[in-house]
Amino acid sequence: MTAQPSPLRVVCARAAPAPLLQVDGVSLEYRTPERVVRATHQVSFDVHAADRFVLLGPSGCGKSTLLKAVAGFVAPCEGEIRIEGAPVSAPGPDRIVVFQEFDQLPPWKTVRQNVMFPLMQSRGMSRREASECALHFLDKVGLANFADAYPHTLSGGMKQRVAIARALAMRPKVLLMDEPFAALDALTRRRMQEELLALWHDAAFTLLFVTHSIEEALVVGSRILLLSPHPGRVRAELNSHQFDLASQGGAQFQATAQRIHHLLFDEAPHPAPSPARTAQAR
């Protein structure tokens, strides 16, 4: 009689789920009046469903260009980007971008109308359906009471919340955020980070987030891809799911932030001076 595999063996034999987003050996270039500039060089990474995946690196490393390529705005000169195995060749409603700029909302539309518009245009919703959906997501970001306000009456943080509500209402496969909180003051930025994490815990969407702040990457991300200075190459990939806003200031958080800094800028950590050396230096 042939022995039957145990349930444990059957579970172990199952293949891991395929990545939702695959960036495979992607090099990106742009042209200036003088020359062609390489922004990234053969960058590869996978993003799984419900990941909070952060692209982190210094200014000019190509992280925003890479996000635009995932969005379909920039075509790779080498390599391929795939969503659920299908090559990305153009923008689409399965990838929605929230930019850094506050003025990404048409000023002649109310807050509700700004959220409704893409739902009717891209998702084919009726006005009533779009209005109900818009109010639902405006409530999620705490702006239901401002549904009939116009963008010029809102603060920068409130405008970003509208942009996030509009993006989430589209229910994209991947939400793309390009340094969305960089221009905010420190207190508003922290509050927006809190709200983004609360939204993720509620809806578990897949996030691809660009920042040049090590602390923000550790707080927002569950996984972090480190990119070298120009042109952007992969330096390392780290797990950061163990950190949150309450971790800031803790020893492990600070040690990880320092390690990332050294990895990004190719510095060797300086050893702590010994007591004997300290005594001699006095």
Side-chain angles (χ1 to χ4, degrees), residues 51-63:
D51 268 350
R52 303 191 313 273
F53 197 95
V54 176
L55 302 178
L56 174 65
S59 296
C61 72
K63 55 190 182 295

Side-chain angles (χ1 to χ4, degrees), residues 215-254:
E215 290 75 17
E216 182 168 69
L218 287 170
V219 165
V220 169
S222 57
R223 295 165 62 213
I224 305 173
L225 190 79
L226 308 184
L227 295 172
S228 68
H230 182 269
R233 295 178 170 87
V234 175
R235 276 276 168 86
E237 185 177 318
L238 306 172
N239 288 326
S240 56
H241 59 272
Q242 67 270 36
F243 299 117
D244 56 23
L245 283 160
S247 304
Q248 289 181 298
Q252 186 182 4
F253 187 97
Q254 293 301 322

